[in-house]
Amino acid sequence: MSITRRQLLSMGGFGALAAATLTVPVSTISAQDVPVLDGSKLKPYTQGFKRPPFLAPYKTDVSPVNGQPRNFYTVTQQSSTAEIVPGMKTRILGYNGIFPGPTISLDKGTEAVVTMRNQLPGKHPDFGTPLATSTHLHGSASLPQYDGYASDVTLPGFKKDYIYPNIQPARTLWYHDHGVHYTAQNAYSGLVAMYQIHDAVEKALLPQGEFDVPLMVSDIQLRADGNANYDDHSHSGLWGDINLVNGVPWPVMKVKRRIYRFRVLVCSISRSYRLKLSTGDPMTIVATDGGLMPKAVPVTSYRHANAERYEILIDFSKYRAGQRVELQNLSNKNNIDYAHTGRVMAFDVIDEAFDRNDPTALTMPTVLADSVPMQLTPSQSKATRRMRVERSNGEWKINDRSWADVIASNFQQVFANPGLNDVEIWEIENKSGGWFHPLHIHLVDFRILSRNGRAPFAYEQGPKDVIYVGENETVRAIMKFEHHKGRYMVHCHNLPHEDHDMMVQFRVGLKAGEADPNDPINAARPVWDTPAPQ
């Protein structure tokens, strides 16, 4: 879909566009009638490891509102190409034209103003889907109008300023597209990037700089012409046969004989992983979605769903120079696996010097940091709400409701209406043995209380914003609805499930029909942008 400024204004602007166009039936996208590249014929561990570049602010100042430092960034969504497989060009959608996009890294308390420019074509070059986008900073307590509300779309040729307060403890976040009904295609095509908040506590405990390493893990299936193949198996999920780390198939990273910190983000649109080291040695988990855990947890393997972030420490001092250690994937139920999806990347140990006076180099931390979610107790809860994640008549739903119902209600229907600073327990039930659902709750960090009445896994006992709701599992979580009033989404992060149509919303601190100064669609509308250079 391509639309001019005059056409948009004649329709009454973005609010009218959302109401008028987002109720149209979502097109079905299946495997293209083009031969598929056989990923099993590709050889793992032939390419070097790459880190996404950091994005520098183009301007800094002091906020007139709170006196805190403020950084200004510009990010442009562009259609481009990448050489994922050597010798082949793959069309991508990228922030600043690269996949993954550039990393934004700043200190807690530094506000960010990110101008997000949609300079994409009117429709997807491979899938034909519209490229109206909405950018979500996943893990941020953002105001509703800056949270990437699915129906708050920015059309090609427009731009929007997103304001991020960065008031939460140090953590690994990521920004990705959240455009209504086409999040899967847009994220799969490359609209994903990491975002980091640092603070003094985290800097003192965990490796920094060269030894603080982003691992954005995803998968893809390519056609014989090198472009992406999209087959979501009737909206069940897409599982590629090529694992990527930071956009590179099965890369090899050279590591020194010391401790490294890895920020592991699974940005696959459907695949979950069960990661382990080829040596069988433990990895140490020190942070979850919302930052540091109360204590470090050694694991030999762990289950990692889409959109979850786990920060792990690996001690390479125990290995000899010249030794190769693989990061492998044992997989989980209801993935589709291929010849090489059991491999993720490799580490080649080298005997190069490092600063042995760095306290994080050779000593594993044990006690870390407490946080608001981990201090919550069931006695503080004002309500217990129950959610069923299920499939009904071919659509994915929550309590038999979907985003289509939210749209039909003029964006007023809510699953829950907690007061500001209320504490609640949410219980999520997945009766199916055929699907797992990584459920993401916007705005809040939470503490997982139990799985099927038993204690949660040790490695997930930190602040979270995504719950892996496995087959035949009932998971209970406790959360405090702090920071902001307004409407926020909750949805499955298997993105074909989200798009078809497993997403509802909750409303914090406002009564039904009460004026909403932070309306997620109308409070901060996109504006017309200058055309991208040809």
Side-chain angles (χ1 to χ4, degrees):
M1 177 178 65
S2 181
I3 190 166
T4 67
R5 182 185 188 192
R6 179 175 294 178
Q7 289 170 327
L8 177 68
L9 295 175
S10 72
M11 296 175 67
F14 281 85
L17 179 69
T21 67
L22 300 183
T23 56
V24 298
V26 181
S27 61
T28 299
I29 302 175
S30 58
Q32 291 87 355
D33 189 20
V34 177
V36 173
L37 182 73
D38 184 357
S40 68
K41 295 182 179 178
L42 300 177
K43 187 176 180 181
Y45 309 146
T46 61
Q47 297 191 58
F49 177 79
K50 296 180 181 178
R51 300 181 191 230
F54 286 101
L55 182 65
Y58 70 84
K59 183 177 77 170
T60 61
D61 70 6
V62 174
S63 170
V65 176
N66 56 25
Q68 295 297 306
R70 183 168 58 172
N71 290 358
F72 292 80
Y73 304 88
T74 296
V75 177
T76 302
Q77 302 166 353
Q78 297 171 299
S79 179
S80 185
T81 60
E83 191 171 298
I84 294 174
V85 174
M88 302 184 77
K89 294 291 185 182
T90 300
R91 285 187 291 266
I92 65 164
L93 310 180
Y95 295 117
N96 288 355
I98 59 175
F99 164 60
T103 298
I104 294 175
S105 181
L106 34 64
D107 286 338
K108 177 184 176 181
T110 300
E111 183 179 283
V113 180
V114 180
T115 300
M116 190 62 65
R117 306 177 66 216
N118 184 343
Q119 293 291 339
L120 296 166
K123 64 180 182 179
H124 196 291
D126 289 302
F127 311 141
T129 49
L131 290 175
T133 62
S134 180
T135 303
H136 174 48
L137 179 54
H138 186 135
S140 171
S142 304
L143 283 165
Q145 62 268 40
Y146 306 123
D147 190 52
Y149 193 76
S151 295
D152 174 30
V153 292
T154 300
L155 300 179
F158 286 76
K159 64 182 179 180
K160 175 170 175 168
D161 286 346
Y162 288 85
I163 301 174
Y164 302 127
N166 303 315
I167 57 175
Q168 297 156 288
R171 61 188 55 202
T172 299
L173 309 88
W174 61 304
Y175 58 101
H176 64 84
D177 186 60
H178 215 308
V180 64
H181 291 146
Y182 300 104
T183 297
Q185 289 83 4
N186 295 350
Y188 181 65
S189 299
L191 289 177
V192 295
M194 190 169 282
Y195 189 110
Q196 302 169 359
I197 298 176
H198 294 273
D199 65 20
V201 176
E202 161 263 343
K203 288 179 180 179
L205 289 168
L206 301 181
Q208 303 291 313
E210 174 189 352
F211 308 104
D212 178 0
V213 184
L215 300 185
M216 297 183 66
V217 180
S218 61
D219 60 332
I220 195 170
Q221 186 177 65
L222 298 177
R223 304 195 309 250
D225 63 1
N227 291 308
N229 189 64
Y230 190 97
D231 181 1
D232 69 5
H233 299 86
S234 300
H235 314 321
S236 295
L238 185 154
W239 295 272
D241 57 354
I242 302 171
N243 282 337
L244 306 175
V245 178
N246 299 343
V248 178
W250 307 289
V252 179
M253 178 183 178
K254 295 183 185 300
V255 293
K256 299 175 183 179
R257 299 181 65 233
R258 56 152 288 163
I259 295 170
Y260 280 71
R261 168 193 189 179
F262 296 96
R263 300 174 183 259
V264 187
L265 157 66
V266 169
C267 51
S268 291
I269 67 170
S270 299
R271 181 179 298 282
S272 70
Y273 295 76
R274 187 179 294 271
L275 298 176
K276 69 176 290 288
L277 296 179
S278 57
T279 59
D281 292 320
M283 305 171 284
T284 301
I285 297 184
V286 293
T288 48
D289 306 328
L292 289 168
M293 303 174 71
K295 62 180 181 180
V297 177
V299 295
T300 53
S301 68
Y302 73 99
R303 186 172 69 171
H304 196 146
N306 334 60
E308 289 186 298
R309 287 88 67 210
Y310 285 100
E311 296 190 27
I312 64 175
L313 303 183
I314 300 177
D315 184 359
F316 294 103
S317 68
K318 66 182 70 174
Y319 305 118
R320 67 182 185 278
Q323 186 171 353
R324 171 167 288 182
V325 180
E326 292 185 26
L327 183 63
Q328 299 176 338
N329 171 33
L330 297 175
S331 195
N332 301 297
K333 291 181 182 178
N334 293 304
N335 285 313
I336 297 176
D337 294 313
Y338 298 91
H340 296 315
T341 50
R343 295 175 170 182
V344 178
M345 66 178 294
F347 305 103
D348 282 353
V349 181
I350 58 175
D351 200 12
E352 287 190 4
F354 58 89
D355 181 5
R356 292 180 174 271
N357 293 319
D358 177 352
T360 70
L362 297 169
T363 303
M364 282 285 183
T366 53
V367 177
L368 298 169
D370 212 342
S371 58
V372 170
M374 300 309 294
Q375 295 174 343
L376 298 176
T377 62
S379 64
Q380 298 172 269
S381 176
K382 290 190 173 183
T384 297
R385 304 186 191 270
R386 293 174 173 84
M387 311 177 74
R388 302 183 316 277
V389 288
E390 57 198 351
R391 196 171 199 179
S392 175
N393 297 319
E395 291 289 293
W396 299 100
K397 296 187 176 182
I398 295 173
N399 287 359
D400 203 35
R401 293 181 177 180
S402 69
W403 198 249
D405 297 312
V406 174
I407 293 172
S409 73
N410 195 27
F411 305 101
Q412 297 306 305
Q413 184 187 86
V414 295
F415 158 76
N417 58 340
L420 184 65
N421 292 318
D422 279 0
V423 175
E424 294 190 354
I425 292 173
W426 286 14
E427 183 176 289
I428 305 100
E429 180 183 35
N430 176 16
K431 285 186 175 180
S432 171
W435 319 102
F436 60 88
H437 299 285
L439 196 83
H440 174 39
I441 304 172
H442 285 228
L443 176 66
V444 299
D445 296 333
F446 52 77
R447 173 190 170 198
I448 299 176
L449 294 174
S450 65
R451 288 186 175 276
N452 288 349
R454 296 185 293 273
F457 298 118
Y459 59 78
E460 61 182 358
Q461 294 188 38
K464 297 279 294 163
D465 61 40
V466 178
I467 310 176
Y468 193 125
V469 187
E471 297 80 357
N472 299 305
E473 283 188 345
T474 297
V475 186
R476 287 166 59 86
I478 188 168
M479 63 208 74
K480 182 178 182 180
F481 293 89
E482 56 183 342
H483 302 303
H484 304 301
K485 296 181 180 181
R487 283 168 282 160
Y488 292 90
M489 298 174 292
V490 53
H491 59 86
C492 181
H493 228 291
N494 180 329
L495 295 182
H497 293 190
E498 174 196 315
D499 288 340
H500 302 278
D501 200 21
M502 190 178 273
M503 182 162 62
V504 295
Q505 67 177 352
F506 58 96
R507 184 180 61 242
V508 179
L510 297 173
K511 297 177 181 178
E514 183 178 348
D516 185 357
N518 297 308
D519 182 279
I521 294 176
N522 296 312
R525 293 187 178 184
V527 298
W528 189 248
D529 195 8
T530 55
Q534 298 298 315

